[in-house]
Amino acid sequence: MPHVLVTGLLHPSGCALLDAADEMTVTYIPDVSEESLAAEIGNAEAVLLRTQPMTESTVNKASRLRIVSRHGVGYDAVDVDALNARGIALAVCGDVNSTAVAEHAAMMILAATKRALRGDNATRTGSWDWRNNLESRDLRGQNLLVAGYGRIGRHIAAMMAGFGMAVRAYDPYLMKAGWPEGDVAGFETLEEGLGWADVISFSLPHKGKPLIGDDEIALMKDGAVLVNTARGGIIDEAALINALKNGKIGAAGLDVFKSEPLPEGHPFGAFDQVLLSPHIAGLTRESAERMAVSSAENILNFFAGTLDHALIVNREEIDVPLQT
């Protein structure tokens, strides 16, 4: 009888699927610390993992574990090599939140370009004459570079094209594998795109070192707008802070950070041209339910031998049940 460990709060729709499963037991842990996960993982054959890390030391305590099902699509905090060493599958959700992330990015592009925070503050504090500074900009006719042209990037491109922006993209993987059909052309190099863009939206995975630093910012137009709803660390935060101070970067929208939660007193909090959010781009009421259902279904399907192998991140490294 498989035992499932659910770490962190799960939408009731996901709980209902697991609770209704025959010959399966479930333990729910509201806490999202790795310590609480490690304390219970020894009895689990499946873990539904929310946001906490899963390091090698925790994996080594999992003597019965067969599958980890991520509540989402990212797995940066999971030691995949440790899972591979023990033959444990790592599954992710399918396309459950790409539109939510794209909508959040679109909101940030609008808010940053229109200087929404400054306008709000001016109205609340009686600084009505701020409007005469003409800091707000039209989107129509501006150039948008979408860095990362997967599902999320394509949604962003379509949304912002509706505002009359000229949209191009940068995606080194797709440039090699084959550029998708459509009106959005790709740049061969990031440097070309940075010099062309008025607004840059990031939807790329983090490769271990910043994609954007002082040298890349120097290539951008004066007053460029940056929006990051992808991963913290893609933009060198010290370089961005300096560029905001000297006006090279006009405004920004940031949903992800190198250290999360954002430390108290972080310099980003001092900029009223920077919109901040707590890594919630993909976490709407609707997407939370979709993620809960999908991550629960991955566990049920794994034990039934019907899990879509395309959702198993490390399928090439381990033996997984045959699909029936």
Side-chain angles (χ1 to χ4, degrees):
M1 179 180 292
H3 181 64
V4 181
L5 182 62
V6 177
T7 60
L9 297 176
L10 187 68
H11 191 281
S13 295
C15 297
L17 282 174
L18 295 174
D19 292 340
D22 293 333
E23 299 185 353
M24 180 174 288
T25 58
V26 186
T27 296
Y28 295 95
I29 303 175
D31 186 40
V32 290
S33 69
E34 186 171 15
E35 291 75 16
S36 64
L37 167 63
E40 297 283 349
I41 201 169
N43 294 320
E45 291 184 64
V47 169
L48 196 157
L49 189 69
R50 286 294 310 272
T51 58
Q52 63 270 73
M54 180 178 275
T55 60
E56 182 180 10
S57 63
T58 297
V59 174
N60 288 342
K61 294 180 173 69
S63 58
R64 300 174 58 196
L65 190 61
R66 298 176 61 192
I67 180 171
V68 175
S69 180
R70 266 286 293 125
H71 183 271
V73 297
Y75 50 92
D76 295 353
V78 178
D79 191 326
V80 181
D81 290 336
L83 295 181
N84 292 343
R86 289 179 168 265
I88 301 167
L90 173 61
V92 296
C93 296
D95 186 9
V96 291
N97 64 359
S98 62
T99 56
V101 176
E103 288 174 1
H104 198 88
M107 178 272 294
M108 285 189 146
I109 292 170
L110 281 161
T113 304
K114 299 296 184 182
R115 303 297 195 270
L117 288 180
R118 285 184 173 174
D120 179 88
N121 183 64
T123 306
R124 294 177 188 274
T125 61
S127 303
W128 199 260
D129 286 344
W130 173 83
R131 64 197 293 269
N132 296 321
N133 293 342
L134 300 179
E135 292 186 35
S136 179
R137 299 288 306 276
D138 288 347
L139 287 179
R140 180 170 294 278
Q142 290 205 54
N143 296 339
L144 170 64
L145 173 66
V146 178
Y149 199 51
R151 286 191 295 255
I152 294 170
R154 292 177 214 184
H155 286 312
I156 294 170
M159 291 174 187
M160 303 319 297
F163 285 92
M165 299 191 81
V167 183
R168 294 189 66 179
Y170 166 74
D171 192 310
Y173 172 79
L174 290 177
M175 192 59 70
K176 294 178 180 178
W179 198 258
E181 295 182 1
D183 296 330
V184 176
F187 282 106
E188 292 280 351
T189 68
L190 177 61
E191 289 73 17
E192 289 179 278
L194 296 179
W196 172 85
D198 299 294
V199 180
I200 305 164
S201 179
F202 295 93
S203 300
L204 287 166
H206 184 32
K207 296 295 187 181
K209 64 178 182 178
L211 183 71
I212 302 297
D214 290 321
D215 292 343
E216 289 74 23
I217 289 173
L219 298 174
M220 298 177 190
K221 294 181 179 180
D222 291 344
V225 171
L226 303 186
V227 168
N228 186 9
T229 56
R231 286 289 183 270
I234 289 177
I235 302 173
D236 184 293
E237 292 184 354
L240 176 55
I241 289 164
N242 288 334
L244 287 164
K245 286 179 179 178
N246 63 34
K248 178 65 176 181
I249 300 301
L254 305 172
D255 183 57
V256 290
F257 308 93
K258 183 178 180 180
S259 178
E260 297 180 355
L262 192 67
E264 185 176 353
H266 193 284
F268 284 146
F271 296 105
D272 62 358
Q273 74 274 43
V274 178
L275 182 66
L276 307 174
S277 60
H279 203 153
I280 61 168
L283 193 59
T284 64
R285 183 179 302 175
E286 294 81 5
S287 68
E289 181 172 14
R290 292 192 295 268
M291 283 188 285
V293 169
S294 179
S295 55
E297 286 179 339
N298 282 350
I299 291 173
L300 298 176
N301 292 341
F302 176 84
F303 289 111
T306 59
L307 177 58
D308 182 354
H309 286 191
L311 299 177
I312 303 175
V313 172
N314 55 347
R315 60 188 176 275
E316 301 297 333
E317 307 297 330
I318 64 169
D319 292 326
V320 294
L322 295 174
Q323 293 171 280
T324 59

